[in-house]
């Protein structure tokens, strides 16, 4: 029994050494085979900036520009009251209005998803750093 514990300890030490070597070779924050640095970092400001743009710029513009044809179609339908074309114009206005609503809902969902990705990525990085520290693969200063 004593021999199997010793063999386990030796294998465990070897696995830890291999993991440290692999950690040195792996650069989690590099892209396209580029360099990177020795610290795990997250830059989620780009996702937040994109989400802000979607909500503050794109969403109001899409709503305003998307509703413009609806208003014009409704005015044309009102001017043609009593004609069969008025019903058709109103149907087109209603359909277009629904599409604008779906578009703005999707833009809002994309902004929320960008913020969620940013938050999840940052949280995931902190969890990974914690686990690597617990294994002794990185020091506690980073």
């Amino acid at each position: 029994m004593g021999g199997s514990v010793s063999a386990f300890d030796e294998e465990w030490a070897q696995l830890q050494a291999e993991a440290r070597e692999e950690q040195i070779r792996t650069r989690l924050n590099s892209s396209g085979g580029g360099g990177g640095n020795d610290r795990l970092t997250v830059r989620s400001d780009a996702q937040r900036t994109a989400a802000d743009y979607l909500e503050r710029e794109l969403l109001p513009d899409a709503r305003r520009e998307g509703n413009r044809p609806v208003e014009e179609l409704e005015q044309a339908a009102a001017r043609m009251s009593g004609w069969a074309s008025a019903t058709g114009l109103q149907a087109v206005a209603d359909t277009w209005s629904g599409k604008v609503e779906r578009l703005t809902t999707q833009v809002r969902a994309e902004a929320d998803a960008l913020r969620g990705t940013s938050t999840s990525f940052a949280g995931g990085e902190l969890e990974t750093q914690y686990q690597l520290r617990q294994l002794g693969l990185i020091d506690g200063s980073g």
Side-chain angles (χ1 to χ4, degrees):
M1 176 117 170
S4 65
V5 171
S6 177
F8 173 80
D9 289 338
E10 288 175 23
E11 184 179 353
W12 179 245
Q14 181 181 355
L15 289 172
Q16 285 181 318
E18 289 172 4
R20 283 187 193 98
E21 289 173 21
E22 181 65 24
Q23 191 268 336
I24 289 169
R25 286 191 301 270
T26 303
R27 300 292 184 227
L28 296 175
N29 62 341
S30 67
S31 62
N37 61 33
D38 292 326
R39 301 183 71 158
L40 297 174
T41 59
V42 150
R43 294 202 41 173
S44 57
D45 56 332
Q47 288 95 352
R48 288 190 195 108
T49 299
D52 289 344
Y53 171 79
L54 290 175
E55 287 181 339
R56 295 180 186 155
E57 303 286 330
L58 187 64
L59 189 59
D61 288 350
R63 189 178 313 275
R64 182 182 59 252
E65 295 303 319
N67 285 332
R68 186 178 305 184
V70 173
E71 294 164 3
E72 293 173 4
L73 287 165
E74 288 174 342
Q75 290 171 3
R79 285 192 303 268
M80 299 181 86
S81 180
W83 293 72
S85 298
T87 304
L89 288 170
Q90 188 59 53
V92 170
D94 293 343
T95 300
W96 186 264
S97 181
K99 291 183 184 294
V100 170
E101 186 59 35
R102 283 189 292 282
L103 172 65
T104 57
T105 299
Q106 183 65 38
V107 169
R108 197 173 306 110
E110 294 298 331
D112 291 345
L114 283 165
R115 283 199 178 87
T117 298
S118 173
T119 301
S120 293
F121 190 55
E125 180 184 17
L126 291 174
E127 178 63 23
T128 300
Q129 287 177 348
Y130 172 78
Q131 291 173 357
L132 291 173
R133 275 191 206 97
Q134 294 299 334
L135 294 171
L137 299 176
I138 61 173
D139 66 19
S141 66

